[in-house]
Amino acid sequence: PIWVMRQAGRYLPEYQEVRSRMSFNELCRTPEAACEVTLQPIRRFGFDAAIMFSDILTPLAPMGADFDFSQGGPKLQKPIRSEDEIDALHTYAPEEGTDFVAAAIKLMKEGLGDKTPLIGFAGSPFTLATYLIEGGGSKDFHHLKTMLYSRPELLDRLMAKLTDQTLDYLKMQVEAGVDAVQLFDTWGGILHPADYARVVLPCVKRIMDGLKGSVPRIYFLKGSAPYLDLVTTLDVEALGMDWTMDMAKSLPLMEGYAVQGNLDPQALFGSHDEIRRRALEICTAGKAAPGHVFNLGHGITPPTPIDAVETLVETVQGFRR
Ligand code: CP3
C-alpha cells in the first residue's frame, strides 16, 4: 500500500481552491472542509490510506498556544520559555477543546467508506516542544537547547504535560474512528542519542504504550538512523523511515516491525524513469519486512508536479499486483 505524508496540501489545485476561501486554521477547525481536503488525494490518486487533515500544532491552541500560519510558517506570538509560561499551558479534555477533530473524523470515515482506512496523528511531545519554545520553526533550536543544557527539569516539565495531552488526544481520535495512528517526530533527531534516550524516548513510549491494543501505531522519527537501537525498543506496529536509510541494510536491524517509507520527496522532481527505478528498489527491499507501507521519507512539497505523483502511485500499486 501507498500513502504520502502531507498528501492533502498545496501541490493540489483543488486544495488551493478550498484554501482561497478560508485560512489554514479555519480549514483545520471546520469538519466539512477538513473532510473535503482529506478526500481530495484519495479521489485523484487512489492512495491506499487517507490521513486526517489537521496540523500537529492544532491541539496546542486550547492549551493556550494558538499558532498563526498566515505568514507562511507557524508563528507563536509569545514563545513558551519560563516556568510560569509552561505552567500556564493548561491541559484540557480533547472532546471539548478539539471536538471539531472528532467531528471531522466521523465525516471522513463516512466519506471514505470501507475501502480506504483513515490514519489519525499527533506531533510527538518533543517536536511540539520545539515549536512552543522557539515560537515557530528553527534552524539551530537555540532556545530549546539552552533550556536542555541549563534547566533540563523545565523541559521535562513541558514534555510531561505535552505527553499527557497527546495521549488523550490520540485516544479521542481512536474513539472517533481512526484505523491507525502516526506520531510525527520531525525534530526528535536533533539531539545526542543519550539526550534522545533520556528526554524524548520515554514520552514516545508512554504514548504508544497507552494506545496498545487499540489500533496500529506508527512512529515516524525523521533522522532516526543514528537512534535505531533506541527506537527498536518501542512497542509499536510500524516505524517510519526517511530517505537517509538504506532499506535493504536497515531492515535486519528492525526485525519484527512493519516499516513505512522511504523515497526522498525531492526525487519527485527527477525523471519519471528515475522515480520508477527508485520506487521499485524500495518496494523490493521492503519485502523483507513483515509489512511495508510505501511513503515518502518526509512530507511532499508544494511545487511537486502532479504527474510525478501519478507515476509513483502507478509504480507502487503495479508492483503489488
Ligand atoms: O499529511 C497530511 O496530508 C495531513 C495534514 C498535515 C499537515 N501538517 C498539513 C499542513 C500533517 C500530518 C501535518 C504535520 C505537521 N505539521 C508536521 C509533522 C510532519 C512534517 O511535515 O514535518 C509539522 C512539523 C507541522 C508544522 C507545520 N505546519 C509547518 C512547519 C507548516 C508550515 C510549513 C509548510 O510546509 O507549509 C505547517 C502548515 C501546514 N500543515 C500546511 C499543510 C497543508 C500548509 C498550510 C497552508 O495551506 O498554507
Side-chain angles (χ1 to χ4, degrees), residues 6-8 10 15 19 24 51 54-56 131 186 298:
R6 298 263 183 111
Q7 66 190 20
R10 286 162 298 178
Y15 173 84
R19 269 286 276 111
F24 178 66
I51 178 159
S54 186
D55 195 85
I56 60 163
Y131 286 97
T186 310
H298 196 201

Side-chain angles (χ1 to χ4, degrees), residues 3-10 15 19 24 27 51-57 69 72-74 121 127 131 184 186-187 220 222 298-299 302:
W3 68 280
V4 308
M5 291 187 269
R6 298 263 183 111
Q7 66 190 20
R10 286 162 298 178
Y15 173 84
R19 269 286 276 111
F24 178 66
L27 175 48
I51 178 159
M52 72 171 199
F53 191 82
S54 186
D55 195 85
I56 60 163
L57 304 177
F69 288 85
F121 71 88
T127 291
Y131 286 97
F184 282 91
T186 310
W187 301 120
F220 171 68
K222 183 161 171 278
H298 196 201

Side-chain angles (χ1 to χ4, degrees), residues 94-117:
E95 54 288 355
E96 284 164 25
T98 45
D99 54 335
F100 53 88
V101 174
I105 289 169
K106 289 179 186 136
L107 291 181
M108 291 165 191
K109 283 298 295 174
E110 271 173 43
L112 289 164
D114 295 336
K115 200 174 131 260
T116 310

Side-chain angles (χ1 to χ4, degrees), residues 155-231:
L155 183 57
D156 291 344
R157 200 177 172 108
L158 176 59
M159 292 285 290
K161 215 169 204 179
L162 292 169
T163 300
D164 290 342
Q165 189 64 60
T166 302
L167 176 56
D168 285 352
Y169 180 55
L170 286 171
K171 280 183 177 166
M172 180 201 73
Q173 293 180 27
V174 172
E175 291 253 309
V178 298
D179 300 290
V181 289
Q182 171 156 322
L183 198 64
F184 282 91
D185 209 349
T186 310
W187 301 120
I190 61 167
L191 297 175
H192 184 282
D195 291 312
Y196 174 83
R198 192 193 71 75
V199 178
V200 183
L201 190 64
C203 297
V204 174
K205 182 170 156 44
R206 201 145 74 69
I207 292 169
M208 293 306 198
D209 289 353
L211 296 166
K212 189 179 171 69
S214 59
V215 295
R217 300 155 297 169
I218 312 162
Y219 179 50
F220 171 68
L221 170 63
K222 183 161 171 278
S224 59
Y227 308 81
L228 215 46
D229 58 327
L230 296 167
V231 166

Side-chain angles (χ1 to χ4, degrees), residues 1-292:
I2 175 170
W3 68 280
V4 308
M5 291 187 269
R6 298 263 183 111
Q7 66 190 20
R10 286 162 298 178
Y11 72 110
L12 291 177
E14 57 271 36
Y15 173 84
Q16 300 279 16
E17 199 279 314
V18 175
R19 269 286 276 111
S20 70
R21 289 186 271 120
M22 61 182 88
S23 73
F24 178 66
N25 270 335
E26 234 181 305
L27 175 48
C28 291
R29 289 166 199 173
T30 309
E32 295 74 20
C35 175
E36 164 58 21
V37 298
T38 298
L39 298 181
Q40 285 173 349
I42 309 302
R43 286 189 207 117
R44 186 187 269 272
F45 302 112
F47 284 123
D48 298 298
I51 178 159
M52 72 171 199
F53 191 82
S54 186
D55 195 85
I56 60 163
L57 304 177
T58 305
L60 297 180
M63 296 186 89
D66 198 354
F67 282 81
D68 174 23
F69 288 85
S70 62
Q71 308 302 317
K75 275 275 166 295
L76 190 59
Q77 196 101 49
K78 186 134 186 18
I80 308 296
R81 292 175 192 162
S82 69
E83 185 161 355
D84 286 349
E85 285 159 352
I86 292 170
D87 291 344
L89 287 175
H90 31 264
T91 48
Y92 61 89
E95 54 288 355
E96 284 164 25
T98 45
D99 54 335
F100 53 88
V101 174
I105 289 169
K106 289 179 186 136
L107 291 181
M108 291 165 191
K109 283 298 295 174
E110 271 173 43
L112 289 164
D114 295 336
K115 200 174 131 260
T116 310
L118 179 66
I119 301 169
F121 71 88
S124 91
F126 185 76
T127 291
L128 297 177
T130 67
Y131 286 97
L132 287 169
I133 296 169
E134 300 296 332
S138 176
K139 280 203 164 62
D140 53 10
F141 301 93
H142 169 71
H143 297 286
L144 179 132
K145 289 193 172 181
T146 300
M147 193 186 285
L148 171 68
Y149 297 130
S150 61
R151 299 200 59 192
E153 76 287 357
L154 271 195
L155 183 57
D156 291 344
R157 200 177 172 108
L158 176 59
M159 292 285 290
K161 215 169 204 179
L162 292 169
T163 300
D164 290 342
Q165 189 64 60
T166 302
L167 176 56
D168 285 352
Y169 180 55
L170 286 171
K171 280 183 177 166
M172 180 201 73
Q173 293 180 27
V174 172
E175 291 253 309
V178 298
D179 300 290
V181 289
Q182 171 156 322
L183 198 64
F184 282 91
D185 209 349
T186 310
W187 301 120
I190 61 167
L191 297 175
H192 184 282
D195 291 312
Y196 174 83
R198 192 193 71 75
V199 178
V200 183
L201 190 64
C203 297
V204 174
K205 182 170 156 44
R206 201 145 74 69
I207 292 169
M208 293 306 198
D209 289 353
L211 296 166
K212 189 179 171 69
S214 59
V215 295
R217 300 155 297 169
I218 312 162
Y219 179 50
F220 171 68
L221 170 63
K222 183 161 171 278
S224 59
Y227 308 81
L228 215 46
D229 58 327
L230 296 167
V231 166
T232 51
T233 63
L234 286 170
D235 180 355
V236 294
E237 283 68 33
L239 292 171
M241 299 169 82
D242 71 28
W243 64 93
T244 64
M245 294 172 81
D246 180 331
M247 202 173 267
K249 282 189 195 159
S250 305
L251 287 186
L253 305 171
M254 302 170 78
E255 232 171 287
Y257 293 94
V259 294
Q260 182 175 276
N262 71 343
L263 184 70
D264 184 350
Q266 302 297 329
L268 294 173
F269 296 88
S271 71
H272 286 215
D273 279 349
E274 189 65 4
I275 294 170
R276 279 187 211 99
R277 189 184 73 72
R278 287 181 184 255
L280 289 174
E281 197 171 83
I282 292 168
C283 288
T284 304
K287 288 176 87 170
H292 172 218

